[in-house]
Amino acid sequence: MNITSLTKKQVAKSIVPQLEEEAYNMSLQTGLLKNYMPSSPITTHLVHNGFIPDIITTEENGETNIYEIQLNNKIDTERWNFFARYTKERHGTLHIIVPESNLSAAEKVIAEKDIRNIKLMYVPN
């Protein structure tokens, strides 16, 4: 159940232009917006099916950042842990975007599950 009237597409529309403005030679993939190449699933030898990030950016130097938009209250800690490790290995960060009303719940899960290399962001309700 979404806890905000926003959609992932609307959030992506506000984030993507800012990301493109801040970066020089960056590739950006997202299946949320037209005119962008969707990301393929990210897999490892342990996670064969993988996960598809909402938005993934890769700088020319290889730094990789993932932006996950979590608008409902079903938090997938396996996915967050996987993306956090993946971006850390590539000198980037996992950015989680949640509605303001879900901020404390997300902070609690991150602390309880000891998820590192993560930045929590919020959108107003």
Coordinates of all heavy atoms in Angstrom, one line a residue, residues 2 4-18 30-34 54-55 69 71 97 123-125:
N2 N 0.7 2.1 -0.9 CA 1.4 3.4 -1.0 C 1.0 4.3 0.2 O -0.2 4.3 0.5 CB 1.2 4.1 -2.3 CG 2.1 3.7 -3.4 OD1 2.9 2.8 -3.2 ND2 2.0 4.3 -4.5
T4 N 1.8 7.4 0.2 CA 1.8 8.8 -0.4 C 1.1 8.7 -1.7 O 0.9 7.7 -2.3 CB 3.3 9.3 -0.6 OG1 3.2 10.6 -1.2 CG2 4.1 8.3 -1.4
S5 N 0.6 9.9 -2.2 CA 0.0 9.9 -3.5 C 1.0 10.0 -4.6 O 0.6 9.9 -5.8 CB -1.0 11.1 -3.5 OG -0.3 12.3 -3.3
L6 N 2.2 10.2 -4.3 CA 3.2 10.2 -5.3 C 3.5 8.8 -6.0 O 3.3 7.8 -5.3 CB 4.6 10.7 -4.7 CG 4.7 12.1 -4.4 CD1 6.0 12.3 -3.6 CD2 4.6 13.0 -5.6
T7 N 3.9 8.8 -7.2 CA 4.3 7.6 -7.9 C 5.8 7.6 -8.0 O 6.5 8.6 -7.9 CB 3.7 7.5 -9.3 OG1 4.2 8.5 -10.1 CG2 2.1 7.6 -9.2
K8 N 6.4 6.4 -8.3 CA 7.8 6.3 -8.5 C 8.2 7.2 -9.7 O 9.3 7.8 -9.7 CB 8.2 4.9 -8.8 CG 8.3 4.0 -7.5 CD 8.9 2.7 -7.8 CE 9.2 1.9 -6.6 NZ 10.1 0.8 -6.8
K9 N 7.4 7.2 -10.7 CA 7.7 8.0 -11.9 C 7.8 9.5 -11.6 O 8.7 10.1 -12.0 CB 6.6 7.7 -13.0 CG 6.8 8.4 -14.3 CD 5.8 8.1 -15.3 CE 6.0 8.8 -16.6 NZ 5.1 8.4 -17.6
Q10 N 6.9 10.0 -10.8 CA 6.9 11.4 -10.4 C 8.2 11.7 -9.6 O 8.8 12.7 -9.8 CB 5.7 11.7 -9.5 CG 4.4 11.7 -10.3 CD 3.2 11.9 -9.4 OE1 3.1 11.2 -8.4 NE2 2.2 12.7 -9.8
V11 N 8.6 10.8 -8.7 CA 9.8 11.0 -7.9 C 11.0 11.0 -8.8 O 11.9 11.9 -8.7 CB 9.9 10.0 -6.8 CG1 11.2 10.2 -6.0 CG2 8.7 10.1 -5.8
A12 N 11.0 10.0 -9.7 CA 12.1 9.9 -10.7 C 12.2 11.2 -11.5 O 13.3 11.7 -11.8 CB 12.0 8.7 -11.6
K13 N 11.1 11.7 -12.0 CA 11.1 13.0 -12.8 C 11.7 14.1 -12.0 O 12.3 15.0 -12.7 CB 9.7 13.4 -13.2 CG 9.2 12.6 -14.4 CD 7.8 13.2 -14.8 CE 7.3 12.5 -16.0 NZ 5.9 13.0 -16.4
S14 N 11.6 14.2 -10.7 CA 12.2 15.3 -10.0 C 13.7 15.0 -9.7 O 14.5 15.9 -9.5 CB 11.5 15.5 -8.7 OG 11.6 14.5 -7.8
I15 N 14.1 13.7 -9.5 CA 15.5 13.4 -9.2 C 16.4 13.4 -10.4 O 17.5 13.9 -10.3 CB 15.5 12.0 -8.5 CG1 14.8 12.1 -7.1 CG2 16.9 11.5 -8.3 CD1 14.6 10.7 -6.5
V16 N 16.0 12.8 -11.5 CA 16.9 12.6 -12.6 C 17.5 13.9 -13.2 O 18.7 14.0 -13.4 CB 16.1 11.8 -13.7 CG1 16.9 11.8 -15.0 CG2 16.0 10.3 -13.3
P17 N 16.7 15.0 -13.4 CA 17.3 16.2 -13.9 C 18.4 16.7 -12.9 O 19.4 17.2 -13.4 CB 16.2 17.2 -14.0 CG 15.0 16.3 -14.1 CD 15.2 15.1 -13.3
Q18 N 18.2 16.6 -11.6 CA 19.2 17.0 -10.6 C 20.5 16.2 -10.8 O 21.6 16.7 -10.7 CB 18.7 16.9 -9.2 CG 17.6 17.9 -8.9 CD 17.0 17.7 -7.5 OE1 17.7 17.3 -6.6 NE2 15.7 18.0 -7.4
T30 N 17.3 4.0 -16.1 CA 16.0 3.9 -15.3 C 14.9 3.4 -16.2 O 14.8 3.9 -17.4 CB 15.6 5.2 -14.6 OG1 14.4 4.9 -13.8 CG2 15.4 6.3 -15.5
G31 N 14.2 2.5 -15.7 CA 13.0 2.0 -16.5 C 11.7 2.8 -16.1 O 10.7 2.6 -16.7
L32 N 11.9 3.8 -15.3 CA 10.8 4.6 -14.8 C 10.4 5.8 -15.8 O 9.3 6.3 -15.8 CB 11.0 5.2 -13.4 CG 11.2 4.2 -12.3 CD1 11.7 4.9 -11.0 CD2 10.0 3.4 -12.1
L33 N 11.3 6.2 -16.6 CA 11.1 7.4 -17.5 C 11.4 7.0 -18.9 O 12.3 6.2 -19.2 CB 12.0 8.5 -17.1 CG 11.8 9.1 -15.6 CD1 12.9 10.2 -15.4 CD2 10.4 9.6 -15.4
K34 N 10.7 7.6 -19.8 CA 10.9 7.4 -21.3 C 12.3 8.1 -21.6 O 12.8 8.9 -20.9 CB 9.8 8.1 -22.1 CG 8.5 7.4 -21.9 CD 7.4 8.2 -22.8 CE 6.1 7.5 -22.6 NZ 5.0 8.3 -23.3
D54 N 15.8 1.1 -9.3 CA 14.9 2.1 -9.9 C 15.7 3.1 -10.8 O 15.4 3.4 -11.9 CB 14.2 2.9 -8.8 CG 13.2 2.1 -8.1 OD1 12.6 1.2 -8.7 OD2 12.9 2.3 -6.9
I55 N 16.9 3.6 -10.3 CA 17.8 4.5 -11.0 C 19.2 4.1 -10.6 O 19.5 3.9 -9.5 CB 17.5 6.0 -10.6 CG1 16.1 6.4 -10.9 CG2 18.5 6.9 -11.4 CD1 15.7 7.7 -10.2
I69 N 13.4 4.0 -4.8 CA 12.3 4.8 -4.4 C 11.3 3.8 -3.7 O 10.8 2.9 -4.3 CB 11.6 5.5 -5.6 CG1 12.6 6.4 -6.4 CG2 10.4 6.3 -5.2 CD1 12.2 6.8 -7.7
L71 N 8.0 3.8 -1.8 CA 6.8 4.6 -1.4 C 5.8 3.9 -0.6 O 4.9 4.4 -0.1 CB 6.2 5.1 -2.7 CG 7.0 6.1 -3.6 CD1 6.3 6.5 -4.8 CD2 7.5 7.3 -2.8
I97 N 14.9 6.6 -1.1 CA 14.0 7.8 -1.1 C 12.7 7.2 -0.5 O 12.1 6.3 -1.1 CB 13.8 8.4 -2.4 CG1 15.2 8.9 -3.0 CG2 12.8 9.6 -2.4 CD1 15.7 8.2 -4.1
V123 N 10.8 12.4 0.6 CA 9.9 13.4 -0.2 C 8.8 13.7 0.8 O 8.3 12.9 1.5 CB 9.4 12.7 -1.5 CG1 10.5 12.5 -2.5 CG2 8.7 11.4 -1.2
P124 N 8.3 15.0 0.7 CA 7.2 15.4 1.6 C 5.9 14.6 1.2 O 5.7 14.3 0.0 CB 7.1 16.9 1.3 CG 8.2 17.3 0.5 CD 8.8 16.1 -0.1
N125 N 5.1 14.4 2.2 CA 3.8 13.7 1.9 C 2.8 14.7 1.3 O 2.8 15.8 1.6 CB 3.2 13.2 3.2 CG 4.0 12.1 3.8 OD1 5.2 11.8 3.4 ND2 3.5 11.4 4.8

